Amino acid sequence: MGRGDLTNAEWDRLESFLPPGGARGGRWSDHRRVINGVLYRVRTGVQWRDLPERFGPWETVYKRHRRWSADGTWTMLLSRIQATEDATGQIDWDVSVDSTAVRAHQHAAGARKAPTGPGSPKGERWGDEPGRSGIAETGGPARGSGQIGECLGRSRGGFTTKIHLAADGRCRPLALVLTPGHYGDGPQFERVLEQVSVPRIGVGRPRTRPDHVLADKAYTSRKNRRYLRRRGIRHTIPERRDQQRHRRNRGSRGGRPTGFDSERYKKRNTVERAINRLKGFRAVATRYEKRAYIYLGTVTLAALIIWLRT
């Protein structure tokens, strides 16, 4: 076992959830060796062709990662691990929401056409669960093409991608959404919380409602607050000064001041620490993938490792 590879305890937790084998006959390469190869690349950010020989052919490792990113296998593994944690009461449901911008390498640009064929969300599907195909179901871009469809936004520094996430009270990502880097945080608030879905072990619907939500001033809009009230979710979101001034200027028509617990708001640092953990993986801190769904699979694998090792 090399540095950063799955330990025996981590492998035991994942092994029973993995697909049994190839759908077209034949045998797949050993899952553990291939996952360790993908993990090595996500951790170090090396080019796929530079993977050490102990992981086998680099094409096999890359194609497995691309396939599992497209059919939602990485997302399925993450949700299964979250379910086992929730069953033992190990999830802190005081959820914090924030985003982080990621610089896209020059090699991430230049995808010439919409992804089709094997290994893409619009092509053939693999995996042991139906209905888990398509980047729109796994928190990626639901529509669009070109740079916007691949979550590449223009900025002064070049291309950027933004990762929106919700983290539990133990600094572990619960939900992930990708957008171009110039997209605002507030409009993605509902989309991020809609991605929070932790299955139950046994019978019962997945848990989708946090006990409490914390977010910064970027999310303080009437639309977001109405959404939280409609779902019965308590929240701590500070109000911007201009909003306070406009409310006071309107008098009784401005409504009541929003409640704010400054002590509880200090806990919002959990999402910042979750972002730091994600960016400890070099292939997450810098985007190299041309396709958004493959980069989303990279981020999801990093989140899965965080859950396994926390």
Side-chain angles (χ1 to χ4, degrees), residues 38-46 65 100-105 160-165 173 176 178 274-289 294-306:
V38 178
L39 181 57
Y40 179 90
R41 189 263 172 181
V42 172
R43 182 173 58 85
T44 62
V46 300
H65 176 55
T100 181
V102 174
R103 177 67 185 273
H105 194 269
T160 55
T161 296
K162 187 172 283 189
I163 304 174
H164 305 262
L165 71 154
L176 299 164
L178 294 187
I275 290 172
N276 287 340
R277 288 182 177 182
L278 281 175
K279 287 195 168 181
F281 296 84
R282 292 178 179 268
V284 175
T286 302
R287 173 179 169 177
Y288 299 99
E289 290 83 358
I294 301 180
Y295 181 64
L296 179 62
T298 298
V299 181
T300 303
L301 174 58
L304 173 63
I305 298 302
I306 291 174

Side-chain angles (χ1 to χ4, degrees), residues 200-223:
R200 310 278 188 178
I201 293 182
V203 297
R205 297 179 179 178
R207 175 161 183 175
T208 60
R209 189 171 66 177
D211 293 333
H212 203 96
V213 170
L214 301 97
D216 60 19
K217 292 181 180 179
Y219 300 92
T220 176
S221 67
R222 291 185 177 181
K223 179 181 177 182

Side-chain angles (χ1 to χ4, degrees), residues 69-138:
S69 298
D71 65 14
T73 299
W74 294 128
T75 304
M76 178 269 295
L77 293 175
L78 178 60
S79 64
R80 295 286 180 85
I81 296 300
Q82 290 174 346
T84 58
E85 292 289 300
D86 188 45
T88 56
Q90 298 299 316
I91 296 182
D92 184 346
W93 284 97
D94 279 1
V95 174
S96 301
V97 179
D98 206 350
S99 70
T100 181
V102 174
R103 177 67 185 273
H105 194 269
Q106 60 183 356
H107 294 164
R112 297 185 178 181
K113 58 183 179 180
T116 58
S120 66
K122 296 183 180 179
E124 299 183 31
R125 304 175 178 181
W126 292 269
D128 59 347
E129 286 193 2
R132 283 197 168 272
S133 296
I135 191 167
E137 296 185 15
T138 56

Side-chain angles (χ1 to χ4, degrees), residues 159-195:
F159 286 120
T160 55
T161 296
K162 187 172 283 189
I163 304 174
H164 305 262
L165 71 154
D168 77 335
R170 298 183 61 189
C171 310
R172 299 174 297 186
L174 280 170
L176 299 164
V177 170
L178 294 187
T179 65
H182 61 275
Y183 276 31
D185 294 351
Q188 307 301 323
F189 183 72
E190 294 185 24
R191 189 176 169 198
V192 172
L193 290 183
E194 290 294 332
Q195 293 294 327

Side-chain angles (χ1 to χ4, degrees), residues 8 13 17 42 46 60 68 101 124 136 198 213 225 253-254 287 299:
N8 292 332
R13 297 184 66 185
F17 303 139
V42 172
V46 300
T60 300
W68 284 3
E124 299 183 31
V198 177
V213 170
R225 294 183 188 273
R253 295 178 301 171
R287 173 179 169 177
V299 181

